[in-house]
Amino acid sequence: MRRTPDEGRRQRRGGPLWRYLAALVLLPLVGVVVLTVAAAQARAAEVAGAERAEVAVRALALLDAARSGVEQEMIPALTLSIVDDPVAAAALGLPTFFLRAQEQAALDEAARARTSTDAALERLTGNPVAAEAAAHAAEDVTKLRRAYEGRRLGIEELHLRFLAVSNDLMAAQAAAAVAATSEGVPVATMRAVSDVRTVAQLAQATARQMPLFLGSLLVDDQEQLIGSRTAWETAWMDYRDAQRRMDTLSGEPLREAWQEVRASDVVADLDGLFARGLAGEVRNLALPDLVVALLQSQERGTLLAGLVGTAVEEARSLVEADRARAEDRLQAVLVMGAGLLAGSVLGAVLLGRSVTRALRLLAAQATEISQGSLVEVEADGPREVRTVSAALGSAVAGLRRIQDQAQAVARGDLDDALLDEPLPGPLGEVVHASVRAIVTSVRQREELQFALAHRATHDPLTELPNRAQAVTLVTSALHRGRRSGEMTGLLYIDLDGFKAVNDAHGHAAGDEVLRAVAARLRAAVRPGDVVCRLGGDEFVVLVEPVHAEHDLLDLAERLIASVSRPVAVGTATATIGASIGVAVSRDGGTDADVLFAEADTAACRAKAHGRGRAEIFDETLRLQLAEQAELEAAIAHGLAGGEMHLVYQPVVDVASDRLTGYEALVRWDRPGVGAVPPDRFVPVAERSGLIRDIDRFVLGEATRQLAQWRAATPVAPGRPEPTVAVNVSGRHLADRRIVADVAEALEASGLPARLLVLEVTETVLVDDPAAYDHLTELRGMGVGIAIDDFGTGYTSIGQLRSMPVDTLKIDRSFVASAEPAHLELVALMIRAAHTFGLTVVAEGVEEQAQLARLRAEACDRAQGYLLSRPLPAVEAGALLRRDALAAPAG
């Protein structure tokens, strides 16, 4: 790889190696000095922090002494207030001589407590952590003493003022503890400081108990009593909570000391007294009990003060140890810095000798790699140079792996295990992610292609090969049979009673039955045989090779028995059957379409002979199939040669006998044969697909003829225009081209869509969702929809509400019947249709009595031989003209 001129200039501007080596000599020396100074400063800061922590711990001890003194001074002060308050003295039931004695004792105790408090506050003035708090406390205590000495404060206010001073000192203690632990002290020291706070909090809570307890005994007023009791209960809960926190003490000696204090008789007696007082069992105290309680309270305070002193001493010893260790570390840093400085000078000299050769070698290898040669990198020289060499070697190895993965992708080897190996570093991650994305994209494309191919060749409901794939498989089997000379068999399976399952249980149940049938067919055939679904309720089984025809019949019987077993559909059970047609190709010379047609013909004969059986295609069926093929060809020829025409049967208004429209019927006059009945050629056209061509012919001719009559014979104003009805087969209606065929016929003729009526059978509406959707779209165009032969299928009257239909045509079998049940059914159909806004047309009216009944039931329209036979176009047009002339003017 060639370097650009800029790269060459940059390389030439680089300094010589000796300059860098000189820098390597100087930089470590400077670094050692800087690091030594920084480390020494850090150690000095650590020493200063330890000293500040020591000062804070001392402040913590002095603050606790001051707080203890204030709380000790509170008891005699409160005692003096009680002595001067006759109400309080009376509440305690104390004699006068005892009060005078307690007064002097209180004065002595107050003087002693003052001395202790003042001494602690005086010592705090020189401590920077607590000096300010000590000054505020000294000022507050001085004011408080003046107030209670002058007897200017009540008992409760005096108590609250003392508590305020105690709280301020306790807050100062908390601040001192924070200051002691904020200097980065070890965990053990932090725990010791925390122990001091815990013990101090217990001492404070203990000191407050006796005043509040006595206060709860002195109050007579109910409201004051409630407040005093509440304060006493709160103090008791604080005391108990402080006791529980003592269980968290970290120092073992301190825990042992606490356990001794806790187990003392003084603490036990006072806790028992206060617990009884909290329960309301102590209303007042006798003089001896009061004296004992006060003495015990002072003794307990002394014990806890000693416990605080123990905690402070332990914390102080730890802080002093921390300071000593910090000073030792500072001395070690200074010594180590001097040693490092000397060692750096020596190391720089040695490094200068070894690094030059290693760097030159590394530079040469890096140059080769930059030019695209993935050479092996030699690691030599100092550790740092070896590290760079190893890193460069790793980079080369990574590039080799990238190269290998790129080559694997290029040759299409997507399953190579190398592609799953990650690549090192951020660049490797990006490259490997790109490689994986390419591999994933290619695999997804292959999977999508496979899925699309599978979808194109398989039925989505049963996952069986579909009709197109079945033809392909049969064709391939026939080719193999032609080469091997073996027989190939095809079983055409047509389910019996499947429509009844749809009608009785719904289409979802029908789908479940089809899946069950598919599973049973797969389970019943040999591993090499193939089951396919052609559509609807039709299946085929391709069998190869076939050893004898009776083997196929045996298989067909087994399939019939398997399919005929009941199928669980939700909570219900459905039962169907199967009719099977068997066709055999003996040498593979048969065409696939022919083999399908033979099997289908045999299945039709099985159905015609009673269903639930198997028939094999024989010579008789071959003749029938040949006749059918000949008839199909003749139908196609007749459509192309103009042999088919339409006749029109009039549809008459029952009430007025006026003409309302026609039903267009196809007729075939076959040369040399004569008129071919519709029931002869229409079923053949249905099976072959020619029915769509016939439907298109009828649509085009009927719409053209009515448009011509409409132009020649205008309808009188105010009268409805005649319509033309065209029968559309289910096969055509399911074809997506039906909508376009109708639109093209209307556009070619110019006939308004509202004058065209499409007649369909019930089964088309019920069985084929696509046909249903197409009818909805056609109705949206304005075309009328009629249900033909209503009553012969499985449609319930209630379904009429949601169907896309406008007209109901009652089958001729109901119209012609004189049975009372049929007469009532006809009346019910008419009323239901009118309820849903449908027009009713009765088919096959041949007698006056039938017409009279229809008129009596308010049937809208009728058609039949009584009214008119189907007429050629000329006569039908003349009938329309006569009807128009007979219409009353205006």
Side-chain angles (χ1 to χ4, degrees):
M1 182 176 65
R2 299 178 60 186
R3 292 192 299 271
T4 64
D6 289 341
E7 291 174 340
R9 285 192 295 271
R10 284 197 298 270
Q11 187 173 18
R12 286 192 297 273
R13 284 200 298 267
L17 183 61
W18 66 268
R19 294 183 182 178
Y20 296 102
L21 292 177
L24 289 174
V25 172
L26 294 176
L27 285 176
L29 298 178
V30 174
V32 168
V33 173
V34 171
L35 290 176
T36 302
V37 172
Q41 289 176 342
R43 297 288 80 76
E46 186 177 346
V47 171
E51 291 175 349
R52 287 193 295 272
E54 187 175 5
V55 172
V57 171
R58 290 195 185 99
L60 193 62
L62 293 174
L63 285 168
D64 189 73
R67 177 197 59 75
S68 178
V70 169
E71 290 174 351
Q72 289 176 6
E73 187 176 346
M74 176 173 59
I75 299 297
L78 291 175
T79 303
L80 291 174
S81 297
I82 293 172
V83 170
D84 291 338
D85 188 346
V87 177
L92 291 173
L94 300 175
T96 304
F97 75 89
F98 179 76
L99 292 176
R100 299 281 72 87
Q102 286 300 312
E103 181 178 12
Q104 184 60 43
L107 290 173
D108 295 340
E109 180 64 23
R112 188 191 62 77
R114 284 183 183 183
T115 303
S116 175
T117 303
D118 293 342
L121 292 174
E122 180 66 25
R123 289 196 299 273
L124 280 169
T125 56
N127 192 299
V129 175
E132 184 177 356
H136 285 300
E139 182 180 355
D140 291 342
V141 168
T142 301
K143 293 178 180 179
L144 184 57
R145 288 169 180 169
R146 291 172 184 169
Y148 80 74
E149 286 174 352
R151 305 299 193 267
R152 295 194 299 271
L153 297 176
I155 297 174
E156 183 177 358
E157 185 176 359
L158 179 64
H159 180 223
L160 293 175
R161 294 276 293 273
F162 269 108
L163 289 183
V165 176
S166 176
N167 287 337
D168 291 343
L169 291 172
M170 195 69 183
Q173 277 187 282
V178 172
T181 56
S182 63
E183 298 296 339
V185 298
V187 175
T189 304
M190 292 180 65
R191 290 175 177 171
V193 173
S194 178
D195 289 348
V196 174
R197 289 190 61 188
T198 301
V199 177
Q201 287 171 354
L202 176 62
Q204 184 186 37
T206 302
R208 297 182 180 185
Q209 281 187 304
M210 181 56 74
L212 291 174
F213 174 66
L214 293 177
S216 67
L217 300 178
L218 292 175
V219 178
D220 292 331
D221 181 79
Q222 185 63 30
E223 183 176 353
Q224 293 180 354
L225 178 60
I226 294 174
S228 179
R229 289 282 299 177
T230 302
W232 158 236
E233 291 172 358
T234 302
W236 175 256
M237 288 189 290
D238 291 343
Y239 169 71
R240 299 299 292 176
D241 186 57
Q243 276 191 330
R244 284 191 292 272
R245 285 199 296 273
M246 292 292 286
D247 294 335
T248 64
L249 295 175
S250 62
E252 184 64 29
L254 190 59
R255 285 200 301 271
E256 293 176 356
W258 159 240
Q259 293 302 325
E260 292 178 2
V261 171
R262 188 174 191 178
S264 66
D265 294 337
V266 172
V267 174
D269 291 344
L270 285 177
D271 285 353
L273 175 62
F274 294 149
R276 291 195 304 276
L278 184 66
E281 298 175 1
V282 180
R283 301 298 182 182
N284 51 49
L285 285 175
L287 179 59
D289 294 337
L290 178 60
V291 172
V292 170
L294 290 172
L295 293 175
Q296 287 181 330
S297 177
Q298 292 176 352
E299 184 178 354
R300 185 177 62 171
T302 303
L303 291 175
L304 290 177
L307 194 63
V308 172
T310 301
V312 169
E313 186 60 32
E314 184 174 346
R316 182 183 298 171
S317 63
L318 288 174
V319 170
E320 291 176 352
D322 293 341
R323 178 175 55 78
R325 283 194 297 272
E327 292 174 348
D328 292 342
R329 285 195 291 269
L330 175 59
Q331 185 68 26
V333 166
L334 294 175
V335 173
M336 184 177 62
L340 286 175
L341 185 61
S344 298
V345 174
L346 179 62
V349 175
L350 297 177
L351 179 64
R353 294 181 177 180
S354 63
V355 79
T356 302
R357 187 184 66 83
L359 287 177
R360 286 176 180 171
L361 176 61
L362 183 62
Q365 293 171 345
T367 301
E368 291 189 59
I369 293 170
S370 67
Q371 294 174 350
S373 299
L374 302 181
V375 298
E376 292 292 339
V377 179
E378 298 181 18
D380 193 12
R383 178 178 298 175
E384 289 74 9
V385 178
R386 291 175 180 272
T387 301
V388 174
S389 300
L392 186 60
S394 298
V396 171
L399 290 173
R400 286 199 181 102
R401 290 170 63 185
I402 292 174
Q403 184 182 54
D404 294 340
Q405 290 189 355
Q407 290 174 347
V409 172
R411 65 176 177 265
D413 189 4
L414 303 183
D415 295 325
D416 194 331
L418 179 65
L419 296 176
D420 295 326
E421 296 180 5
L423 300 174
L427 176 62
E429 292 178 2
V430 172
V431 173
H432 187 253
S434 301
V435 171
R436 297 303 305 163
I438 294 172
V439 172
T440 301
S441 177
V442 173
R443 285 177 175 165
Q444 287 177 344
R445 184 184 65 184
E446 292 176 350
E447 291 173 358
L448 179 60
Q449 289 174 342
F450 176 80
L452 292 175
H454 182 81
R455 186 178 300 176
T457 57
H458 286 74
D459 171 50
L461 179 63
T462 62
E463 290 299 319
L464 295 176
N466 58 15
R467 179 183 292 272
Q469 183 66 4
V471 173
T472 301
L473 293 173
V474 170
T475 301
S476 299
L478 291 174
H479 288 166
R480 289 190 293 271
R482 188 177 301 118
R483 290 192 300 270
S484 64
E486 294 179 329
M487 292 189 295
T488 303
L490 187 68
L491 279 66
Y492 197 103
I493 304 166
D494 194 348
L495 301 184
D496 300 329
F498 177 70
K499 291 181 180 179
V501 173
N502 271 342
D503 296 331
H505 303 286
H507 288 281
D511 291 345
E512 186 63 31
V513 168
L514 289 175
R515 283 191 287 267
V517 168
R520 292 178 181 182
L521 293 177
R522 281 196 297 261
V525 300
R526 298 178 306 182
D529 299 337
V530 182
V531 180
C532 308
R533 183 189 176 203
L534 302 184
D537 58 354
E538 298 177 340
F539 299 81
V540 294
V541 176
L542 173 63
V543 182
E544 60 166 332
V546 176
H547 303 295
E549 292 182 359
H550 66 81
D551 293 339
L552 295 176
L553 290 175
D554 291 342
L555 174 60
E557 294 296 337
R558 292 198 303 273
L559 295 179
I560 292 172
S562 178
V563 171
S564 301
R565 295 199 309 270
V567 180
V569 180
T571 58
T573 300
T575 303
I576 60 173
S579 299
I580 300 181
V582 180
V584 182
S585 173
R586 289 169 174 76
D587 55 3
T590 307
D591 182 77
D593 291 336
V594 173
L595 194 63
F596 270 97
E598 291 177 351
D600 185 15
T601 303
C604 291
R605 185 166 71 177
K607 275 189 176 291
H609 287 178
R611 304 190 177 190
R613 56 184 293 155
E615 293 281 350
I616 192 166
F617 186 82
D618 53 16
E619 193 60 35
T620 301
L621 289 177
R622 192 180 303 280
L623 292 175
Q624 292 178 3
L625 191 61
E627 291 176 0
Q628 180 174 319
E630 187 271 335
L631 186 58
E632 289 177 5
I635 292 171
H637 182 270
L639 275 172
E643 298 173 7
M644 294 188 181
H645 65 278
L646 300 185
V647 295
Y648 301 88
Q649 184 169 34
V651 179
V652 177
D653 183 86
V654 173
S656 64
D657 292 333
R658 306 295 300 183
L659 179 67
T660 61
Y662 301 93
E663 179 180 1
L665 303 170
V666 65
R667 296 291 184 263
W668 181 21
D669 290 329
R670 184 178 178 185
V673 176
V676 181
D679 59 359
R680 175 73 179 89
F681 70 87
V682 170
V684 175
E686 281 274 8
R687 288 195 295 270
S688 66
L690 288 170
I691 194 66
R692 288 190 288 266
D693 297 328
I694 293 177
D695 283 351
R696 278 191 284 269
F697 165 73
V698 175
L699 278 169
E701 184 63 20
T703 53
R704 181 198 63 76
Q705 184 64 72
L706 183 57
Q708 180 181 334
W709 289 337
R710 189 166 172 264
T713 310
V715 176
R719 288 202 61 194
E721 293 190 81
T723 61
V724 62
V726 174
N727 288 280
V728 179
S729 72
R731 192 163 187 174
H732 189 195
L733 195 59
D735 193 327
R736 63 178 181 273
R737 281 193 48 82
I738 179 63
V739 178
D741 291 340
V742 172
E744 289 173 4
L746 292 173
E747 183 179 3
S749 63
L751 185 71
R754 57 185 170 80
L755 300 182
L756 175 63
V757 178
L758 301 181
E759 295 188 1
V760 298
T761 61
E762 294 179 67
T763 53
V764 171
L765 280 171
V766 174
D767 291 346
D768 200 325
Y772 193 97
D773 294 340
H774 293 158
L775 278 179
T776 302
E777 188 174 354
L778 289 168
R779 193 163 181 253
M781 291 168 49
V783 175
I785 307 298
I787 298 181
D788 197 15
D789 301 332
F790 186 80
T792 61
Y794 298 98
T795 305
S796 67
I797 292 177
Q799 291 177 280
L800 296 175
R801 181 193 303 271
S802 58
M803 286 185 172
V805 297
D806 306 284
T807 302
L808 190 86
K809 299 192 72 173
I810 301 176
D811 187 69
R812 66 180 63 246
S813 62
F814 296 101
V815 174
S817 176
E819 296 181 12
H822 283 178
L823 297 179
E824 182 61 30
L825 182 57
V826 170
L828 176 61
M829 291 179 188
I830 295 172
R831 289 196 299 271
H834 287 167
T835 299
F836 299 134
L838 305 181
T839 301
V840 181
V841 178
E843 297 181 296
V845 179
E846 297 181 356
E847 299 175 2
Q848 283 292 345
Q850 298 170 1
L851 185 61
R853 285 196 300 270
L854 293 172
R855 189 175 287 117
E857 297 293 346
C859 182
D860 300 300
R861 298 170 189 169
Q863 66 183 91
Y865 282 4
L866 176 65
L867 304 172
S868 176
R869 290 177 175 273
L871 302 174
V874 175
E875 296 180 17
L879 180 61
L880 180 61
R881 286 193 296 274
R882 287 197 301 273
D883 187 76
L885 292 174

